[in-house]
Amino acid sequence: MALSRWGAVLAGTTALIVLVSGCGSSGSSSGANGSSASDQHVEKLTFDFPVAVAGPVAQDVKDLVNQFNQTHKNIQVSPVFTGDYQTTMTKVQTAAKAGSTPDVAVLQSTDMYSLLDANLILPIDQFATSDSDKQWLTSFYPALMANSTLNGKTYGIPFQRSTLLLYYNKDEFNRAGLDPNSPPTSWDELVKDGKMLTKNGQWGLEIPTSGLTYWEFQPFAIENGQNVVGDAANKVTYDDPKVAQALQFFADLSKKDKIEPTGLLGWTTAPTDFESGKAAMIYHSSGSLTSILKTAKFNVGVAELPGNVQKGSPTGGGNLYVFNTKDSAKEQAAYEFVKWMAQPDNAAKWSIETGYVGSSPAVYETDAMKQYLQKTPQAAAIQQQMQSAAKELGTHDGQEIQSILSTACQQVLTANVTPQQALKDAQQKADQILSKYQN
């Protein structure tokens, strides 16, 4: 991806920023936004971002940060590209033990509970005190805020958020005698269409299952009327009968209906197989939209996931967090940066470049997003999916709790274990871990 359009106007101001930075310290400040503070003082912030150093996404982040630095002369943000989410979380936790955290970071929305338990992040509410800022906090999609709030306080601002979508090959739909403008909308239609699309050298459907299997399974539980987690951060509902029914259907897609491969399928395998024609339909992240549309050599359709008693998909991805650095000036400056990054115009640019969810209805009202949707109508499925999206599995000790459900799903997919037994065992393990968080 070429250097994007937001980052082109830096040269003239960079020298000024460096000059100003050199004159100031990183200590206290009389104001975070440069409009009223001394020109000789600059708050210097580190911004940890979960992406590899090289590549188009890193460049997009640099462009956004540079644009912020140009317009906030008393704040200078330095992005630090830290690899994937897990690596970034580990880096932050290690740094915290050494007494040094980033000032602001993007981490998984489900890491909010672990960050809170370690007293590493601050509630956004303590900064958003004006009427306009309070209104801003209510502007995001509720499904995204379900993993951003706890006990009435907001700890994360949606930024790099995603959801699962159905990608399908319209040309293969035509060849199979299916309407390319009518993707499956129910579980029954998913199986019926999948059987018509399955043939030698091509699976009707592929859903990744080898990694964070809990996330790829979670839509089925939601669509069957019972999410695996509710509002509480210390409780899961793995052993609910509706969840077991959903897991049975999930396993039947390969074992009984034979519309997708048996065993476990890698996260990157599904889009690769889709783009090469080995799979006619896949479930994958909205964050893969841009890449798939660039790579596929056929007409790509994108739709909401098929439902059962209701539609649904978990949200995913990362939030912006303000860290507890015990430096009030830095914390205020970090909030200003977070608020700026989440503005509709900036969020629209980020969504257009990456395929991640536009974080609020206002994002979809920007001129840039309207023009993008005219050129890329497939992206409209992301906004549609937000209407039925639900909370991703997030609790205290979240990664361990997620791993327990992933293991249970994989046992059912690969071994002769019933959903009821696997989920009963998973519930017991989760309850034991979460018991220390019971009041």
Side-chain angles (χ1 to χ4, degrees):
M1 182 180 302
L3 184 66
S4 73
R5 44 280 216 198
W6 329 313
V9 195
L10 294 179
T13 52
T14 299
L16 175 61
I17 291 171
V18 171
L19 176 61
V20 171
S21 172
C23 296
S25 69
S26 59
S28 61
S29 172
S30 58
N33 193 320
S35 59
S36 61
S38 168
D39 287 345
Q40 294 185 344
H41 183 84
V42 176
E43 289 296 346
K44 297 180 179 179
L45 306 180
T46 56
F47 173 37
D48 281 15
F49 197 92
V51 71
V53 174
V57 175
Q59 186 58 56
D60 291 338
V61 174
K62 289 178 183 175
D63 290 344
L64 275 172
V65 170
N66 286 335
Q67 188 177 2
F68 175 84
N69 287 340
Q70 289 178 46
T71 54
H72 296 72
K73 61 182 180 180
N74 283 0
I75 304 173
Q76 186 175 24
V77 178
S78 298
V80 180
F81 300 115
T82 46
D84 60 21
Y85 280 119
Q86 181 59 53
T87 302
T88 304
M89 184 63 175
T90 301
K91 175 180 178 292
V92 167
Q93 291 172 320
T94 301
K97 291 178 181 177
S100 175
T101 64
D103 299 299
V104 60
V106 170
L107 291 165
Q108 284 187 315
S109 63
T110 53
D111 284 333
M112 176 182 71
Y113 308 98
S114 296
L115 293 168
L116 272 174
D117 291 338
N119 195 31
L120 293 182
I121 56 174
L122 296 170
I124 302 297
D125 314 73
Q126 77 178 51
F127 306 102
T129 56
S130 69
D131 289 344
S132 60
D133 283 5
K134 289 178 182 178
Q135 184 65 31
W136 169 69
L137 280 184
T138 67
S139 66
F140 301 98
Y141 282 112
L144 301 180
M145 298 308 288
N147 285 105
S148 308
T149 60
L150 184 65
N151 297 329
K153 292 185 177 180
T154 300
Y155 293 95
I157 296 299
F159 181 69
Q160 185 167 276
R161 299 297 294 274
S162 58
T163 188
L164 282 164
L165 297 171
L166 174 70
Y167 295 84
Y168 66 100
N169 185 328
K170 286 191 169 186
D171 295 350
E172 287 299 328
F173 266 56
N174 263 324
R175 280 189 275 273
L178 296 167
D179 183 350
N181 296 314
S182 298
T185 60
S186 68
W187 285 7
D188 289 342
E189 291 179 1
L190 179 68
V191 172
K192 178 181 71 66
D193 291 357
K195 289 181 177 179
M196 295 180 68
L197 291 162
T198 299
K199 58 186 180 182
N200 287 338
Q202 176 180 284
W203 289 104
L205 175 68
E206 287 189 0
I207 302 174
T209 49
S210 66
L212 302 177
T213 316
Y214 81 88
W215 197 53
E216 289 86 36
F217 163 65
Q218 207 177 336
F220 295 94
I222 297 169
E223 292 156 5
N224 206 38
Q226 180 60 60
N227 202 346
V228 298
V229 67
D231 293 335
N234 58 2
K235 182 181 180 182
V236 294
T237 53
Y238 294 168
D239 61 351
D240 187 282
K242 293 180 181 178
V243 178
Q245 292 170 1
L247 184 51
Q248 185 65 64
F249 178 80
F250 187 54
D252 283 349
L253 293 172
S254 59
K255 289 187 169 182
K256 174 188 169 186
D257 302 314
K258 302 186 185 306
I259 62 173
E260 65 170 344
T262 56
L264 302 180
L265 190 74
W267 176 253
T268 59
T269 301
T272 300
D273 284 358
F274 179 68
E275 291 156 5
S276 68
K278 293 181 180 178
M281 299 187 290
I282 62 169
Y283 280 26
H284 221 264
S285 170
S286 57
S288 300
L289 175 66
T290 301
S291 174
I292 288 175
L293 293 181
K294 284 182 178 178
T295 306
K297 305 303 181 186
F298 49 81
N299 293 313
V300 176
V302 184
E304 297 177 76
L305 299 185
N308 192 33
V309 299
Q310 63 187 30
K311 290 189 174 182
S313 173
T315 62
N319 279 341
L320 287 156
Y321 295 102
V322 174
F323 276 73
N324 180 11
T325 60
K326 304 188 186 308
D327 183 326
S328 59
K330 279 182 172 288
E331 292 164 356
Q332 181 65 38
Y335 168 68
E336 296 296 335
F337 176 66
V338 166
K339 189 170 65 171
W340 184 90
M341 290 284 278
Q343 286 180 0
D345 284 339
N346 297 328
K349 292 172 184 174
W350 181 248
S351 178
I352 291 167
E353 292 290 337
T354 62
Y356 285 107
V357 174
S359 54
S360 70
V363 174
Y364 290 92
E365 293 301 318
T366 61
D367 290 341
M369 182 60 81
K370 289 179 179 177
Q371 292 172 11
Y372 171 67
L373 290 175
Q374 285 184 340
K375 296 178 181 178
T376 315
Q378 295 97 330
I382 300 173
Q383 185 183 20
Q384 294 164 0
Q385 188 76 80
M386 279 297 97
Q387 307 308 314
S388 59
K391 182 180 180 180
E392 183 182 5
L393 174 56
T395 63
H396 297 289
D397 290 339
Q399 293 185 9
E400 192 171 0
I401 297 300
Q402 292 168 350
S403 178
I404 289 170
L405 181 56
S406 291
T407 298
C409 293
Q410 292 175 6
Q411 288 174 335
V412 174
L413 291 168
T414 61
N416 190 26
V417 179
T418 66
Q420 291 78 7
Q421 186 60 56
L423 293 171
K424 178 182 177 182
D425 294 345
Q427 183 74 49
Q428 290 176 346
K429 293 176 183 176
D431 285 346
Q432 184 176 7
I433 293 171
L434 293 174
S435 63
K436 60 187 175 186
Y437 298 103
Q438 303 293 334
N439 294 324

